[in-house]
Amino acid sequence: MSRYFVRRILATIPLMFIISIFVFMFIHLIPGDPARTIAGLDAEEWQVEAIREEYGLNKPIVTQYVDYMVKLFHGDMGESMKSFTPVSELIAERMPQTLKLVFAGVLWAPILGIFIGVMSAIKQGKIFDHVCMLIAITGLSAPGFWLGLMGIQIFSVQLGWLPSGGLDSWKGFILPSFTMGCGIMAVLARYSRSSMLETLREDYVRTARAKGQKESLVMFSHAFRNSLIQVVTILGLQIGGLLSGSVLTETVFSIPGMGRLLTDSIQFRDYAAVQGLLMLFALQYVLINLVVDLLYGVINPKIRLD
Amino acid sequence: MKKRISFFLAVVMALTFAACSSGGTTTSEEGTTTEETTTETTTEESGEAASETSTAKSPDNDMVVAMQADVTNLDPHVSSNGVSNTVTNTMYEALVTFDADANIIPMLAKEWTMSEDGLTYTFVLNEGVTFHDGEPFNAEAVIANWERGKADQSLRVYSQTKSWVSAVADSEYQLTITLDAPNNTFLNKLTQVRIVSPKAIEELGKDGLAKQSAGTGPYVFAERVDGGYTKVVRNENYWREGPKVDSLTFKVVPEDGSRIAMLKTGEADIITPVPPIQVEQIEGDSNIVVMNEKGITYRYVTLNKNYTLADGRQPFNDVRVRQAMNYAFDNEAFCQVVFQGYAVKPTSIFSDSIMYYAEQTPYDLDLEKAQALMEEAGYADGFPVTIWVDNTTIEMQGAEFVKQQLAQINIDVTVEPQESTTIADRTALPEDETEVQMWYVNWSSGSYEADGSMRNILHGEKFPPSGYNTAFWNNAEFNQLLDDALVSTDEAEIADLYAQAQAIAWEECPWMFLANDNSITAQRSYVKGLTYKPGGDIVFTTAELDH
């Protein structure tokens, strides 16, 4: 187990290296010039050139990449061209907001989603199943920002119960958490239902029933546990996307998180900030998938790879 | 069971409908809206109207302003875009400023005189003014600001003061500035030179000034969350009549719908900007006052004269084609459809809020004339062309409108939306490399200058990358008029030269002239004491909340 763990962690190093090349090339190769944005509309060409010089933007792109990686290995993510602050500081300032938001969504959505999915599978074809799947389909098809704006319209403007933005109080968490979690809940409800239905058709479930085990025991210790494998994979992918995918929720609810920092930085072509954020998102994706792989082993000992 | 499902569906639909009908947008009837809605509402009128209809009070004495974007930098010498200025102008002041009608009025300087030759200006400064850090404001302080720009030319303040040859303190409160050449925009530009405490320049530098304030303004910096908000509090030692509110918080709320919601719930006292399409959502609310100000934003489409068709012809090099395009364009309909009436038909090459504006005869819609001109120029069958436009909803709608209008004279326009930074890069290429054919764009001079409204986008020396003349229009007479006016010291002569320049460009049509946008902001009815400048700049010096 520990060898597997170490091997998986080591395997992330070349992966991150390749990702760094892609991230760097993408942001540098798309058109747009941060020097021009910094200099402003009324700047002379030589001023723009001076700014390019200052940030090393006129060097060959490979040199720029090597410079960046050398600095990165020394723990320096570079300085934002927009705000003159170190990128690490910028990210540290924004991260708590996004983490709070993600946490607020992750706290209830997967549990409720899996619960709905499993119960629908058990009550397949019944009214409960139909209503739940209708909710799931609605949650899947309604775009997050639309749900958010509707939530604001109903609960902030019409009813006046909840604030329309910010995470300043517990009340402020309700709408963003709902917006963040809705999609995940719906996806997990669908997946855990189909996964559970599949498992329920397995021979060992029939055997368990045949030997007269209690129905609840059949469901939860035989069927449910085995159906979790698929669900955990989906959960990993969903949570992985949350951190970088929080941008719409952050925009609708005016939360200064990492998603908005990323879009603002891309707009400005703030290279160092974009690179830092994308590398971070990639890293967390890799790590979450690592955790998912390790969880497989916990759920089904047969998958444990040594 | 089916009944139960349909009941559930009905409930869901009813809820959605309730939300939509109060919050959604209505697109019908825009055609029947009359011109009465445009520009007539002034700040004073609407302010009075509001106080009659509503007696609502603010629950606290902290003013909250919801803005679309964040300040780029708190150092007034570093950034000077519109949003940044709105915030930094609460903490920093210049020697002179603009009033609500864009006239230059005293601020840190009490009075000033210009020498006969227009080269030297002598300012008498206000006494007893102190910076937030306790340093006294005097002539030496102004000089230190000029020197900061000289020492670091990447700063915006350098561009604003680069025509100064010398700045000398005649006495503690008298300052003489000498220019390299007479310049009719000197005082306009001076409104943007915000004076920072010399001690702070030396000790805090660029990094420090991004995190605190050291100006003479009515508010002192309190706290800031990048991308979240910037909070300033009342300056208790302000040198003249100042604000009544305890604090002012500029919140960043990028989503239009969320800003509207915050104003409705009272979470925000002022929101800026209000997209035209959303005005009707708040118009009937007696607790809300919509400010519809004359704008300074000029909207146009540049026509690259070098654009060459497959057969080698250059349609935009023919003034008849350019005029035909203007005759085929229905400006009034454009203002109604794209801007819901919150824009006006242009009557010159810049807005009438700008100094030295001279009215021209509008290109009224005349399809027959347009078709005749196209035929005369040999383009009766039209030609294909691509228009570049920012990929935001309202900009793309505008470009689509242009496409529809030009189809009437057989010009086949392809709309190519792009992200704004990409367009900025692609339009900065020099004449022999550029791919631009038509560019849907807008321009405004924040310092209300005629020169600033024309030079960068129409002068023959301002082809990219030195400027934004993407029509590549180069008229020697026009260039000369601009150059002569700039160094003239005689008001009447300046006005005359600029009037001639406007007439030439209007006749020559280097662009399609589309519209002047109004600037729309909205506030709760209990907000008092603000001044709105043309273009929508809000002055918070005497801000007050009825609470």
Side-chain angles (χ1 to χ4, degrees), chain A residues 31-33 36-47 51 54 79 82-85 89-90 93-94 125-127 130-131 134-135 146 149-150 152-154 156-158 162-165 168 251-256 260-261 266-269, chain B residues 1 4-5 8-9 15-16 18-20 22-23 70 72-73 78 153-156 158-159 162 206-207 210-211 224-228 251-255 257-258 261-262 264-265 267 281 419-422 424-426 428 443 456 462 465-466 468:
Chain A
D33 183 353
R36 193 163 292 283
T37 322
I38 296 171
L41 285 177
D42 48 359
E44 305 275 344
E45 187 58 11
W46 66 262
Q47 276 175 292
I51 293 170
E54 191 183 330
E79 192 183 64
K82 187 176 168 193
S83 57
F84 310 116
T85 10
E89 233 172 75
L90 269 187
E93 204 176 304
R94 299 292 190 108
K126 306 256 171 63
I127 174 86
H130 288 292
V131 171
L134 191 70
I135 294 174
W146 182 83
L149 283 174
M150 282 303 147
I152 291 177
Q153 187 60 39
I154 297 170
S156 308
V157 178
Q158 309 263 317
L162 301 171
S164 62
D168 308 323
T251 305
V252 171
F253 294 102
S254 321
I255 298 162
R260 257 181 54 210
L261 179 63
I266 292 176
Q267 178 93 44
F268 197 91
R269 302 289 189 270
Chain B
M1 188 182 76
R4 276 195 234 166
I5 290 178
F8 176 73
L9 273 174
L15 272 175
T16 316
C20 284
S22 50
D70 193 15
T72 46
N73 199 295
V78 170
Q153 303 191 345
S154 71
L155 293 174
R156 205 56 72 82
Y158 168 74
S159 323
K162 66 183 170 194
K206 213 154 67 168
D207 292 337
K211 296 184 180 77
R224 168 172 162 76
V225 171
D226 188 54
K251 275 198 178 157
V252 186
V253 184
E255 168 57 38
S258 306
M262 284 182 75
K264 282 182 174 172
T265 60
E267 287 164 275
Q281 287 184 41
E419 183 222 13
S420 59
T421 321
T422 305
D425 200 33
R426 295 182 79 187
W443 184 265
N456 252 321
K462 289 294 181 180
S466 329
Y468 291 84

Side-chain angles (χ1 to χ4, degrees), chain A residues 104-257:
Chain A
V106 166
L107 202 62
W108 63 274
I111 299 170
L112 190 62
I114 294 173
F115 176 76
I116 289 177
V118 170
M119 291 311 286
S120 300
I122 294 173
K123 305 215 179 284
Q124 194 197 359
K126 306 256 171 63
I127 174 86
F128 180 85
D129 183 25
H130 288 292
V131 171
C132 286
M133 284 308 109
L134 191 70
I135 294 174
I137 291 283
T138 314
L140 270 178
S141 1
F145 68 90
W146 182 83
L147 279 179
L149 283 174
M150 282 303 147
I152 291 177
Q153 187 60 39
I154 297 170
F155 295 102
S156 308
V157 178
Q158 309 263 317
L159 300 172
W161 293 347
L162 301 171
S164 62
L167 296 176
D168 308 323
S169 62
W170 66 269
K171 276 185 179 175
F173 275 94
I174 296 176
L175 286 176
S177 157
F178 172 73
T179 312
M180 280 298 265
C182 235
I184 299 188
M185 182 201 72
V187 169
L188 283 173
R190 296 284 305 173
Y191 269 95
S192 46
R193 178 175 178 272
S194 63
S195 172
M196 186 75 179
L197 282 176
E198 237 170 73
T199 327
L200 283 175
R201 282 194 281 272
E202 294 285 343
D203 291 343
Y204 57 81
V205 174
R206 194 162 5 118
T207 314
R209 275 191 182 134
K211 71 181 181 193
Q213 219 158 40
K214 248 167 65 187
E215 185 65 10
S216 59
L217 206 64
V218 175
M219 289 295 167
F220 290 99
S221 94
H222 292 270
F224 175 64
R225 187 167 169 174
N226 284 297
S227 73
L228 268 182
I229 298 274
Q230 252 198 63
V231 174
V232 165
T233 313
I234 298 298
L235 185 63
L237 288 173
Q238 290 286 320
I239 295 178
L242 270 187
L243 210 54
S244 47
S246 59
V247 57
L248 287 176
T249 314
E250 286 175 12
T251 305
V252 171
F253 294 102
S254 321
I255 298 162

